[in-house]
Amino acid sequence: MDDHRLQAGELARLAGRDGPVTVLKQTMALKRTKVLVVRAGDVVVKAHPPGTDERALRARLDAARALDGIMLAPLGLERLDGRLVTTWPAGEPLTMDDVEAGTTPWEEGGRLLALLHARPVPAGLPPAGGPSRLPRA
């Protein structure tokens, strides 16, 4: 299947969950789906960009698994039509309503951030894509 035809329903089927399917993110490049993230029930499924380095992605997933209690651990890594697809437990997103109501858990977020920064970065961990995209933005 061509990348441009990657659909949210295909990712939802990989999730294997009942419930509404919500597209959380979809980026396109040259009429092709570059990144697609959907929530299906209690999981989030992400189709990574074509050409994603599988070894680097596996290393980052292993690092996330090692941060149990700090980060949500990935549930799996699969291929869909040649694309790498990860599955994650769905977290509870904060909304502007939370901020305006004063119910934003800043202290809990600060504790999680402190725990994250107290852990050493695994040797040889490849960078995620964000830092390389920042100069282009």
Side-chain angles (χ1 to χ4, degrees):
M1 177 181 289
D2 294 331
D3 288 339
H4 70 283
R5 294 178 44 193
L6 186 62
Q7 299 291 320
E10 295 172 275
L11 294 186
R13 281 190 289 283
L14 277 180
R17 301 293 205 278
D18 291 328
V21 175
T22 305
V23 174
L24 302 176
K25 178 179 181 179
Q26 183 171 21
T27 60
M28 305 289 286
L30 302 174
K31 297 184 182 180
R32 295 181 182 272
T33 301
K34 187 172 178 185
V35 175
L36 179 60
V37 182
V38 301
R39 181 176 179 151
D42 62 349
V43 298
V44 173
V45 185
K46 177 180 181 179
H48 294 266
T52 296
D53 182 328
E54 184 172 350
R55 187 177 315 169
L57 179 58
R58 285 186 183 279
R60 289 191 298 273
L61 296 175
D62 290 343
R65 281 187 197 94
L67 294 170
D68 187 39
I70 300 173
M71 294 186 66
L72 297 174
L75 300 172
L77 172 65
E78 298 184 45
R79 284 193 179 274
L80 177 63
D81 299 319
R83 300 276 296 271
L84 293 172
V85 177
T86 51
T87 306
W88 301 80
E92 291 300 321
L94 295 175
T95 67
M96 283 308 297
D97 289 340
D98 297 323
V99 174
E100 291 169 2
T103 58
T104 308
W106 295 115
E107 288 181 22
E108 182 181 352
R111 280 192 291 277
L112 285 172
L113 189 58
L115 287 170
L116 178 63
H117 283 265
R119 301 288 291 270
V121 175
L125 184 67
S132 66
R133 289 190 304 266
L134 187 58
R136 293 190 307 264

